[in-house]
Amino acid sequence: MQQHEVTHETYGIYRFDLTTQTALVSEAPAALTQKEFELALLLFRNLSRPLSRSHIRELVWRQDVDIPSRTIDTHVSQIRSKLVLRPQNGYRITTIIATATAGKVGNESP
């Protein structure tokens, strides 16, 4: 029995061709760079799962050294724009920021 190699993945109106590393939105080509393609595919393959910056960096940039977090932010912004990722199209990218708590400094009572 011959196994068929998966050559594309489809998520609603989004189609990712794994052979040519191209993406289509409603059958129209989206001009993604290689890194944007890899990052977009990673995000779609992990729908509704939060991905840490370090995990993204390891899988997309394939390096342990820090790249500026702004680099990832810029790529995500480009993907949102080029793939027209909007709720009305069924998908969106949400950035989750770590929370911190601030307290009053000085003049504290014991």
Side-chain angles (χ1 to χ4, degrees):
M1 179 175 219
Q2 185 179 13
Q3 294 210 2
H4 295 281
E5 184 179 339
V6 175
T7 60
H8 69 274
E9 294 181 24
T10 303
Y11 303 87
I13 64 170
Y14 303 98
R15 180 181 169 110
F16 295 89
D17 186 315
L18 306 178
T19 304
T20 62
Q21 293 199 334
T22 56
L24 300 173
V25 179
S26 298
E27 300 303 319
L32 299 179
T33 66
Q34 180 182 351
K35 291 294 183 209
E36 290 167 351
F37 177 86
E38 291 175 27
L39 179 54
L41 187 57
L42 176 66
L43 294 171
F44 272 94
R45 285 178 171 168
N46 291 278
L47 291 172
S48 300
R49 287 186 219 140
L51 300 175
S52 70
R53 289 179 184 275
S54 63
H55 185 69
I56 290 170
R57 187 175 50 249
E58 288 171 17
L59 293 176
V60 176
W61 277 267
R62 294 172 188 85
Q63 55 185 331
D64 292 327
V65 297
D66 278 341
I67 58 168
S69 73
R70 189 72 194 133
T71 299
I72 295 174
D73 296 341
T74 300
H75 280 76
V76 167
S77 177
Q78 290 296 318
I79 290 167
R80 276 189 186 113
S81 176
K82 292 178 180 182
L83 295 182
V84 196
L85 287 168
R86 306 225 179 352
Q88 59 267 31
N89 289 336
Y91 297 93
R92 67 175 174 205
I93 299 174
T94 304
T95 302
I96 301 170
I97 300 172
T99 59
T101 303
K104 186 175 178 183
V105 177
N107 296 331
E108 288 111 21
S109 300

